């Protein structure tokens, strides 16, 4: 009986009242609003909650608010891949908005340990996942409330604070979802059945951005332009509070912090932060109780992972707050708790947003004190990280630039230092001190924590958060650093003078930008060869010792003149910021000569990746992003439903990312095997590697498997909590060309294990592989007998199997290099077992 009353109460709270006064559903009817400011409904022409408002309409409404009210100012911060404008609406008292630039400059004093004499700063963020649109819809009403409400409370809060409303943190995904719902929702009939097309969004869905990336995993990595713009804005303002509004499964109610403190709090974040989370919760509970909404706290979710919008603030001296609303995924949908309406979900989001403003003002002094405590906590700490690369300036510069994007202190290293056999050269290495204002962010970027004891408390969101390992760069912890000048501006390669040769040109493939140059050259039909053995040779810059994969561009073998080749190389070298060396002759100072058969011509890849169906949109998007944004090279995306009809011999490389390939009929599978046997290269990730190993190459002694144990995982197959492991790679394999260390960190989030085979294994796990995160005892046993990368040969072709995702979130540089090599040198991987 109690259960019946409970469900009835929830069902009543979920349903939109029959009253025509829909506006009173969202706001207390005692609030007076400025009549000169249009409501969202008046501006848009429909009732809020009956339609998904598209991003451009939200931007238009915010522009109108800024035009009509002296409380609002529109701030453009960037644009998406699809060209949508990223706008933030600053709302405050006119006296604050008139000196916004000055206040922003004063906010930087927070890092000095001083409490700046500025208003409170609150950053309200909505819909970082594009298909979680109750948040974006609530942003419309939140902005209207702050701009138009005439209560004494709101007026005082505007005097005391500045409120940045970021309405849609993923506009491309939100527009994709809005189009799906608005074009599939019936006009006259309510489709609340969960099986209706309205509620079953098509692949790739609106969660990700243009390239299907999860934008709530990009706050530290800042791979995407939306994240880069947002982090730049965040670091300029150093807000005291950031709210992060999401949605979850339809059968859930509403979640707000605190999270479960057991295992979900970071050892790098002050307890003052989590105490404020609990104090803010009092405001949320009272506000939601008032409107009859049900909710829960202190269960699940994660407060450690710095790549989330709700945790990034915790590592920057602020209070980050996660909200999760049970989603209607449309306008109305059945749930275990009754009918969930879109209007109900956005009302909860609105209520929480307003309560955030109230809570921040109610704890203003504590928030200022928190920042003082946070930014002075590690003052005088002598610990520092020394990081460098003697050959790959592009990769090193990229990592340093990421640190600068987060306003972290980085210094030049002034002396050559050798630590654990690694030489960190002056001019090719940098020092990142822990003893700086944002020590917590530094330490999580260089995270090495491995002492988790209870996987059940990891929450399924990972345990290894290191960004330093993702770079693949060597680094060491030091307590005495030779600090030089502070690095103040973004780094780029220094190009040496480029002179014409009538014989040949060489590109050092150890610089990761050389890969992009290679694909530029292949598109221009330039004949390029790769060195399969090291050598030294005289160049215009003296004698150079060069390694595996070095690119040779012979002048006489080209279809264009020497002058045209020189002009093209000069143009492309400048574009990619890569040094190209002129070579006067082919006689080497050491090793193979340039006419040796150890220099092999690189064929032009034709690449296909399977999309749609049960294929991972995130991983397919990573492949697409790599080709489109980094390599600038054509990629054909073929849906699973069309794959069986495709003429595979148009391509010589095919990529299968994680997912189910059960759509392949026996005939299609046989056609794929024949394509490989004829010389094609199939490249597989994660679970696709299991499918390929067990379907295309299976023998009794080589069956791949999903390891058991890997505790703390979530989802199918007991996923490994995201953690970082050390692998050893064979540097003479074409997959490793350009790498100078055999140590390659990888990130693992699954239980996929490929059987160890010395002849076929390109990368294997180290004896004690865990670098950052967690693995249980059973998992440790799996690593001992498994490979991370394998090559299986079938006829004249090859299958490159990755146990992990080499392009994880677009950030894992060393493993990304091996994937690009698989594309470039896929036809040169013979030598393993042949069927």
């Amino acid at each position: 009986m109690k259960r019946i009353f409970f469900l009835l109460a929830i069902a009543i709270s979920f349903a939109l009242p029959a009253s025509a006064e829909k506006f009173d559903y969202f706001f207390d009817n005692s609030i007076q609003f400025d009549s000169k400011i249009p409501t969202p409904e008046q501006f848009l022409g429909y009732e809020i909650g009956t339609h998904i408002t598209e991003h451009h309409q939200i931007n238009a409404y915010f522009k109108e608010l800024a035009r009509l009210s002296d409380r609002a100012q529109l701030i453009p911060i960037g644009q998406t891949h699809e060209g949508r404008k990223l706008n933030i609406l600053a709302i405050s008292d006119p006296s604050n908005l008139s000196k916004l630039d000055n206040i922003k400059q004063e906010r930087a004093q927070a890092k000095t340990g001083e409490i700046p004499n500025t208003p409170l700063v609150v950053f309200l963020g909505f819909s970082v996942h594009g298909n979680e649109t109750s948040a974006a819809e609530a942003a419309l009403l939140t902005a209207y409330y702050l701009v138009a409400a005439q209560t004494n409370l709101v007026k005082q809060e505007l005097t005391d604070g500045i409120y940045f409303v970021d309405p849609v943190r993923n506009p491309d995904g939100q527009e994709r979802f809005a189009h799906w719902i608005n074009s599939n929702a019936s006009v006259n009939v309510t489709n609340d059945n969960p099986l209706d097309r309205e509620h079953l969004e098509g692949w790739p869905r609106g969660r990700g951005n243009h390239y299907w990336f999860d934008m709530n995993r990009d706050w530290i990595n800042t791979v995407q332009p939306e994240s880069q713009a947002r982090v730049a804005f965040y670091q300029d303002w150093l807000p005291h509070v950031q709210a992060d509004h999401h949605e979850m499964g339809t059968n859930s109610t509403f979640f707000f912090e605190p999270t479960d403190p057991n295992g979900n709090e970071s050892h790098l974040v002050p307890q003052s932060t989590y105490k404020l989370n609990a104090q803010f919760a009092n405001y949320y509970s009272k506000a939601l109780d008032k409107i009859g909404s049900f909710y829960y706290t202190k269960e699940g979710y994660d407060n450690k992972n710095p790549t989330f919008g709700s945790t990034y603030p915790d590592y920057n001296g602020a209070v980050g707050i996660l909200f999760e609303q049970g989603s209607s995924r449309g306008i109305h949908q059945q749930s275990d708790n009754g009918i969930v309406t879109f209007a109900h979900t956005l009302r909860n989001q609105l209520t929480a947003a307003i309560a955030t403003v109230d809570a921040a003002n109610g704890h203003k002094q504590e928030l200022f004190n928190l920042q003082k405590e946070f930014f002075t906590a590690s003052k005088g700490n002598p610990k520092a990280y020394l990081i460098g690369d003697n050959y790959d300036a592009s990769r090193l510069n990229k990592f340093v630039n990421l640190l600068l994007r987060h306003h972290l202190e980085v210094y030049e290293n002034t002396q050559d230092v050798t630590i654990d056999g690694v030489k960190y050269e002056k001019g090719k290495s940098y020092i990142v001190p822990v003893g700086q204002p944002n020590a917590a962010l530094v330490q999580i970027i260089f995270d090495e924590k491995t002492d988790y004891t209870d996987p059940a408390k990891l929450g399924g969101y990972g345990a290894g958060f290191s960004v330093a390992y993702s770079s693949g760069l060597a680094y060491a912890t030091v307590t005495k650093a030779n600090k030089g000048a502070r690095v103040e501006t973004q780094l780029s390669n220094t190009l040496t003078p480029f002179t014409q040769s009538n014989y040949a040109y060489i590109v050092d493939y150890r610089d990761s930008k050389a890969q992009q140059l290679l694909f530029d050259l292949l598109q221009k039909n330039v004949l390029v060869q790769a060195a399969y053995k090291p050598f030294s040779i005289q160049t215009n810059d003296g004698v150079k010792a060069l390694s595996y994969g070095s690119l040779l561009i012979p002048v006489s073998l080209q279809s264009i003149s020497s002058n045209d080749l020189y002009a093209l190389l000069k143009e492309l070298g400048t574009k990619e910021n890569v040094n190209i060396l002129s070579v006067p002759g082919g006689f080497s100072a050491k090793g193979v000569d340039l006419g040796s058969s150890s220099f092999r011509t690189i064929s032009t890849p034709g690449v296909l990746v399977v999309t749609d169906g049960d294929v991972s949109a995130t991983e397919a998007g990573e492949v697409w992003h790599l080709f489109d944004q980094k390599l600038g090279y054509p990629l054909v995306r073929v849906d699973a439903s069309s794959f069986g009809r495709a003429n595979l011999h148009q391509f010589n490389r095919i990529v299968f990312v994680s997912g189910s390939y059960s759509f392949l009929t026996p005939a299609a599978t046989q056609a794929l095997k024949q394509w490989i046997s004829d010389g094609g290269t199939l490249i597989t990730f994660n679970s696709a590697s299991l499918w390929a190993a067990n379907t295309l190459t299976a023998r009794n002694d080589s069956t791949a498997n999903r390891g058991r144990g890997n505790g703390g995982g979530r989802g199918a197959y007991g996923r490994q909590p995201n953690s970082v492991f050390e692998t050893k790679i064979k540097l003479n394999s074409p997959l490793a060309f350009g790498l100078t260390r055999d140590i390659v960190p990888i990130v693992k989030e699954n239980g996929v294990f490929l059987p160890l085979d010395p002849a076929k294994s390109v990368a294997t796990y180290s004896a004690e592989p865990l670098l950052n995160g967690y693995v249980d005892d059973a998992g440790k046993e799996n690593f001992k007998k498994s490979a991370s990368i394998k090559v299986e040969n079938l006829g004249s072709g090859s299958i490159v199997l990755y146990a992990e995702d080499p392009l994880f979130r677009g950030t894992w540089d060393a493993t990304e290099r091996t994937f690009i090599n698989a594309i470039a040198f896929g036809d040169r991987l013979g030598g393993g077992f042949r069927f």
Side-chain angles (χ1 to χ4, degrees):
M1 182 64 70
K2 290 182 178 179
R3 173 67 175 167
I4 293 174
F5 282 123
F6 176 71
L7 291 178
L8 179 61
I10 294 181
I12 291 171
S13 74
F14 274 31
L16 184 66
S19 167
E21 297 298 325
K22 301 291 175 63
F23 201 62
D24 289 345
Y25 179 69
F26 299 115
F27 296 109
D28 189 304
N29 59 17
S30 66
I31 299 175
Q32 296 296 312
F33 291 97
D34 185 346
S35 61
K36 296 191 298 295
I37 306 299
T39 67
E41 179 179 332
Q42 290 168 337
F43 182 82
L44 297 167
Y46 53 82
E47 295 174 0
I48 297 300
T50 64
H51 193 81
I52 308 295
T53 305
E54 296 177 7
H55 174 259
H56 70 275
Q57 296 172 295
I58 296 173
N59 267 354
Y61 181 64
F62 275 26
K63 184 176 181 180
E64 183 71 354
L65 292 180
R67 185 182 73 85
L68 294 173
S69 174
D70 58 3
R71 289 184 181 182
Q73 188 176 119
L74 197 64
I75 303 176
I77 64 170
Q79 66 178 30
T80 71
H81 285 295
E82 296 178 17
R84 294 188 173 88
K85 294 179 180 179
L86 299 170
N87 291 330
I88 289 174
L89 191 67
I91 305 174
S92 187
D93 185 84
S95 63
N96 292 328
L97 294 181
S98 67
K99 52 185 180 182
L100 210 55
D101 288 341
N102 291 335
I103 294 173
K104 181 171 68 173
Q105 293 175 4
E106 291 171 6
R107 289 294 307 137
Q109 295 176 14
K111 285 194 172 183
T112 68
E114 299 293 326
I115 295 180
N117 184 25
T118 67
L120 182 73
V121 179
V122 176
F123 204 176
L124 301 174
F126 303 87
S127 294
V128 72
H129 294 141
N131 56 5
E132 299 176 3
T133 53
S134 64
E137 217 77 18
L140 290 166
L141 293 172
T142 301
Y144 172 74
Y145 169 80
L146 292 173
V147 168
Q150 297 299 302
T151 68
N152 290 332
L153 173 63
V154 170
K155 291 177 181 178
Q156 187 62 52
E157 289 177 337
L158 294 177
T159 299
D160 293 344
I162 301 171
Y163 309 95
F164 294 116
V165 182
D166 191 357
V168 183
R169 288 184 157 172
N170 176 8
D172 293 347
Q174 193 268 353
E175 287 267 4
R176 190 160 61 242
F177 179 72
H179 175 74
W180 177 272
I181 298 298
N182 292 336
S183 61
N184 283 288
S186 296
V187 175
N188 298 314
V189 178
T190 297
N191 288 315
D192 57 25
N193 191 306
L195 296 177
D196 188 81
R197 178 177 172 83
E198 176 186 341
H199 309 297
L200 298 175
E201 185 187 3
W203 197 99
R205 294 169 286 278
R207 180 181 176 90
N209 75 337
H210 175 75
Y211 291 103
W212 314 327
F213 272 58
D214 188 329
M215 300 301 295
N216 201 40
R217 306 294 187 274
D218 201 41
W219 277 86
I220 295 285
N221 303 326
T222 55
V223 172
Q224 302 300 318
E226 299 94 330
S227 304
Q228 293 170 14
R230 195 156 287 115
V231 166
F233 185 86
Y234 185 102
Q235 290 295 336
D236 280 346
W237 278 97
L238 295 175
H240 298 91
V241 176
Q242 172 159 278
D244 191 28
H245 291 256
H246 290 257
E247 289 182 356
M248 54 183 166
T250 303
N251 290 324
S252 298
T253 56
F254 189 82
F255 172 86
F256 55 87
E257 297 194 33
T259 58
D260 180 356
N262 294 319
N264 286 309
E265 295 180 353
S266 173
H267 63 291
L268 300 173
V269 174
Q271 278 299 307
S272 306
T273 301
Y274 301 124
K275 181 180 178 181
L276 280 163
N277 275 142
Q279 292 171 334
F280 275 40
N282 294 325
Y283 289 79
Y284 304 131
S285 62
K286 289 176 182 177
L288 291 167
D289 286 344
K290 185 176 180 180
I291 62 172
S293 287
F294 285 77
Y295 51 84
Y296 67 99
T297 67
K298 304 179 289 295
E299 297 178 47
Y301 293 104
D302 182 75
N303 253 331
K304 302 184 303 299
N305 192 329
T307 63
F308 297 160
S310 59
T311 47
Y312 181 77
D314 296 346
Y315 292 96
N316 284 274
V319 173
I321 306 159
L322 172 68
F323 300 107
E324 293 276 357
Q325 166 64 53
S327 177
S328 62
R329 278 297 190 274
I331 309 304
H332 302 81
Q333 187 176 170
Q334 298 170 13
S335 78
D336 290 348
N337 303 315
I339 302 298
V340 181
T341 68
F342 188 44
H344 165 78
T345 64
L346 72 91
R347 181 175 69 158
N348 283 348
Q349 301 272 27
L350 167 66
T351 300
I354 293 173
T356 297
V357 172
D358 294 343
N361 279 275
H363 295 278
K364 179 179 178 181
Q365 192 57 51
E366 292 101 311
L367 290 167
F368 276 93
N369 291 341
L370 170 63
Q371 290 198 333
K372 180 176 182 179
E373 174 191 357
F374 181 89
F375 289 123
T376 58
S378 291
K379 188 175 182 179
N381 189 330
K383 181 179 176 180
Y385 299 102
L386 176 62
I387 190 162
D389 194 294
N390 298 335
Y391 302 100
D392 194 350
S394 295
R395 182 163 44 148
L396 178 60
N397 290 345
K398 176 187 172 186
F399 181 73
V400 171
N401 290 341
L402 180 144
L403 300 178
L404 297 180
R405 197 174 288 139
H406 295 283
H407 292 199
L408 297 175
E409 295 178 10
V410 182
Y411 297 85
E412 295 176 356
N413 175 36
T414 60
Q415 294 184 16
D416 291 353
V417 180
T418 299
I419 301 174
D420 295 332
V422 178
K423 186 175 183 180
Y424 299 89
E425 294 184 14
K426 173 185 176 181
K428 298 179 180 179
S429 55
Y430 295 90
I431 293 163
V432 187
V434 172
Q436 60 174 292
N438 203 338
L441 191 58
V442 169
Q443 290 177 96
I444 200 67
I445 286 174
F446 287 88
D447 189 23
E448 294 181 333
K449 183 176 174 61
T450 59
D451 59 353
Y452 296 102
T453 57
D454 185 354
K457 295 179 179 178
L458 294 177
Y461 292 91
F465 309 118
S466 172
V467 179
Y469 281 134
S470 76
S471 73
L473 297 165
Y475 77 88
T477 303
V478 296
T479 54
K480 185 177 181 181
N482 303 298
K483 285 200 314 184
R486 182 173 175 179
V487 181
E488 301 282 1
T489 58
Q490 296 274 299
L491 300 177
S492 61
N493 288 4
T494 301
L495 295 182
T496 57
F498 177 47
T499 59
Q500 186 170 359
S501 170
N502 290 316
Y503 189 81
Y505 300 94
I506 294 284
V507 178
D508 190 340
Y509 200 64
R510 291 171 291 192
D511 190 297
S512 54
K513 280 278 191 157
Q515 293 186 306
Q516 293 169 232
L517 177 64
L518 168 61
F519 280 81
D520 289 340
L521 294 170
L522 293 176
Q523 286 193 87
K524 297 292 185 180
N525 298 315
V526 175
L527 187 146
V528 185
Q529 297 177 329
Y532 280 65
K533 289 183 179 179
F535 65 101
S536 298
I537 198 162
Q538 181 69 44
T539 74
N540 65 304
D541 197 30
V543 175
K544 293 291 184 182
L546 296 152
S547 190
Y548 297 104
S550 296
L551 304 180
L552 169 64
I553 307 165
V555 175
S556 63
L557 301 183
Q558 306 298 331
S559 60
I560 57 177
S561 69
S562 175
N563 287 342
D564 287 345
L565 177 64
Y566 172 67
L568 178 62
L569 293 177
K570 187 173 183 180
E571 173 192 343
L572 295 179
T574 302
K575 171 194 167 190
E576 302 296 357
N577 209 22
V578 175
N579 282 305
I580 302 175
L581 302 171
S582 301
V583 179
F587 189 72
S588 69
K590 183 179 180 181
V592 296
D593 297 322
L594 299 193
S596 167
S597 60
S598 294
F599 287 90
R600 302 173 190 173
T601 300
I602 302 171
S603 62
T604 301
V607 189
L608 177 156
V609 64
V610 176
T611 55
D612 207 353
D614 290 325
V615 166
S616 167
T618 301
E619 291 184 12
E622 290 166 356
V623 177
W624 180 23
H625 179 265
L626 172 70
F627 276 81
D628 197 30
Q629 287 293 320
K630 296 183 180 180
L631 299 179
Y633 193 82
L635 171 74
V636 178
R637 296 158 293 157
V638 175
D639 284 353
S641 58
S642 302
F643 186 80
R645 301 191 300 273
N647 176 10
L648 299 185
H649 286 83
Q650 296 180 63
F651 310 95
N652 51 26
R653 310 286 188 270
I654 293 177
V655 181
F656 282 8
V657 300
S658 293
S660 171
Y661 291 85
S662 60
F663 65 86
L664 290 173
T665 64
T669 301
Q670 184 56 42
L672 179 61
K673 291 180 74 171
Q674 187 60 53
W675 173 83
I676 298 169
S677 186
D678 290 343
T681 302
L682 175 67
I683 305 167
T684 60
F685 297 2
N686 280 330
S687 59
S689 295
L690 289 186
W691 177 87
N694 295 329
T695 305
L696 303 178
T697 72
R699 296 167 18 249
N700 290 336
D701 61 342
S702 65
T703 302
N705 65 89
R706 292 190 184 273
R708 297 181 180 276
N710 307 305
R714 61 189 177 103
Y717 315 111
R719 290 174 61 184
Q720 160 74 37
N722 285 17
S723 298
V724 183
F725 298 90
E726 182 180 273
T727 67
K728 295 289 187 72
I729 195 166
K730 297 175 180 177
L731 290 175
N732 62 350
S733 166
L735 295 181
F737 281 1
L739 297 176
T740 57
R741 295 197 311 146
D742 64 351
I743 295 174
V744 177
I746 59 94
V747 63
K748 197 170 189 68
E749 58 173 345
N750 59 42
V752 173
F753 288 93
L754 304 172
L756 190 63
D757 183 319
K760 306 176 194 177
S761 301
V762 176
T764 57
Y765 304 101
S766 301
E768 296 292 335
L770 183 63
L771 295 173
N772 177 214
Y774 175 83
V775 65
D776 64 12
D777 290 339
K780 291 176 184 177
E781 291 301 312
N782 288 323
F783 284 104
K784 292 179 182 178
K785 53 189 178 184
S786 304
S788 176
I789 307 174
K790 289 183 68 176
V791 175
E792 297 270 9
N793 297 116
L794 178 61
S796 298
S798 300
I799 306 172
V800 181
L801 303 117
Y802 286 91
E804 294 84 27
D805 172 7
L807 305 181
F808 187 71
R809 296 179 185 163
T811 61
W812 283 78
D813 293 335
T815 52
E816 176 185 282
R817 175 177 280 255
T818 69
F819 173 78
I820 296 173
N821 285 343
I823 298 294
F825 309 121
D827 57 344
R828 299 287 189 176
L829 298 175
F833 180 85
R834 290 194 176 274
F835 290 82

